[in-house]
């Protein structure tokens, strides 16, 4: 299974942040705070590896997180 990759970018209208990934059911989600988007990405990928990149308005990566996936079958 391939890793789940997420991008968190500020919205062009400056009204929050977009969580973007090809694994999301609608392509992207909108959040008011980047921490909320990170929490959703971690929860959504709890059973497998996820890479999360947070970008600033200039398009530079300002934070990178890796989530190893903690869900285990009983």
């Amino acid at each position: 299974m391939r890793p789940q990759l997420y991008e968190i970018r500020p919205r062009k209208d400056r009204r929050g942040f977009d969580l973007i990934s090809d694994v999301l059911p609608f392509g992207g989600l909108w959040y008011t705070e980047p921490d909320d988007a990170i929490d959703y990405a971690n929860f959504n990928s709890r059973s497998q590896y996820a890479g999360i990149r947070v970008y600033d308005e200039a398009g530079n990566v300002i934070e990178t997180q890796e989530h190893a996936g903690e869900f285990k079958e009983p």
Side-chain angles (χ1 to χ4, degrees):
M1 189 174 267
R2 68 188 184 120
Q4 295 182 353
L5 303 176
Y6 296 89
E7 294 182 0
I8 299 169
R9 297 182 177 267
R11 294 176 55 93
K12 293 184 194 257
D13 62 7
R14 299 178 187 253
R15 299 181 77 191
F17 297 84
D18 288 322
L19 175 62
I20 304 163
S21 177
D22 61 349
V23 299
L24 295 173
F26 303 108
L29 297 171
W30 174 82
Y31 288 92
T32 57
E33 297 295 328
D35 290 340
D36 295 336
I38 291 169
D39 289 345
Y40 180 86
N42 282 328
F43 177 79
N44 194 48
S45 60
R46 64 192 177 275
S47 64
Q48 57 191 329
Y49 171 83
I52 303 168
R53 292 186 183 146
V54 182
Y55 293 85
D56 64 8
E57 291 181 7
N60 301 313
V61 176
I62 58 172
E63 184 179 344
T64 301
Q65 291 191 13
E66 294 183 9
H67 178 73
E70 302 163 357
F71 182 78
K72 304 223 185 313
E73 295 270 343

